[in-house]
Amino acid sequence: MTVRLRPYGPADAAPTLEVFRRAVRLTAAADYGPEQVAAWAPEDLDPAAWAVRRAERNTVVAEVDGRVVGFTDVDATGYLDMMYVDPAVGGRGVGRALLAWALEEASRAGAEVVRTHASITARPFFEAHGFRVDAVRHPVRNGVVFENFAMSRVVRGSG
């Protein structure tokens, strides 16, 4: 399976939203309850607002055979806000390719550390790639409490 990364474009709004929904509703549902999943990936998520948010971020998409199967973003400070992989290709290198891009992009922008708020589901992936848990968090989304983890990894300097 060959993973191709490319910059996000306007035509990627619908496929990245679908990847997000599938990743939350299928993959993360193993670690979060139905109420949490519904609050995280609600049916009424505004596709236009999604498209604006993705376009405003430094987002890259992953394709396999011309189909969008994942995406991530990272800003100049090293904050990685979203990384999602379609469950159909989980464990096949898409997440690794996206993370490698994010780490390189953050370093190129001058960030010394990459930080993220990882779900229970994503924590083992990030730990396997050198991230450490800095804090356990309990954010509220759409009135529902979640548990996730503030995580970080040094990408430049002595840390």
Side-chain angles (χ1 to χ4, degrees):
M1 184 173 91
T2 302
V3 179
R4 178 178 164 253
L5 301 183
R6 62 171 176 74
Y8 174 91
D12 296 319
T16 55
L17 179 55
E18 182 61 19
V19 166
F20 167 75
R21 285 183 169 144
R22 286 177 48 79
V24 173
R25 293 176 182 169
L26 299 176
T27 307
D31 297 307
Y32 292 93
E35 184 181 32
Q36 292 169 314
V37 169
W40 189 353
E43 290 294 331
D44 65 351
L45 195 68
D46 180 6
W50 175 271
V52 168
R53 183 175 181 197
R54 294 282 34 98
E56 289 175 347
R57 308 251 180 198
N58 183 18
T59 302
V60 69
V61 298
E63 288 184 329
V64 171
D65 297 329
R67 186 172 77 87
V68 174
V69 295
F71 68 95
T72 194
D73 61 57
V74 68
D75 68 19
T77 71
Y79 181 66
L80 189 160
D81 182 39
M82 298 183 103
M83 177 185 287
Y84 290 92
V85 173
D86 191 299
V89 295
R92 297 174 63 192
V94 175
R96 283 190 304 276
L98 290 168
L99 182 58
W101 173 86
L103 294 171
E104 178 61 32
E105 186 73 7
S107 180
R108 189 174 21 256
E112 294 184 4
V113 176
V114 170
R115 291 183 171 78
T116 195
H117 296 145
S119 67
I120 295 167
T121 310
R123 178 182 172 175
F125 169 82
F126 283 104
E127 286 179 326
H129 292 88
F131 282 72
R132 69 170 192 247
V133 174
D134 299 315
V136 178
R137 302 177 66 245
H138 295 96
V140 177
R141 180 174 292 168
N142 294 326
V144 179
V145 177
F146 289 77
E147 180 172 281
N148 69 19
F149 306 91
M151 300 185 77
S152 63
R153 174 183 161 171
V154 173
V155 291
R156 300 172 15 132
S158 61

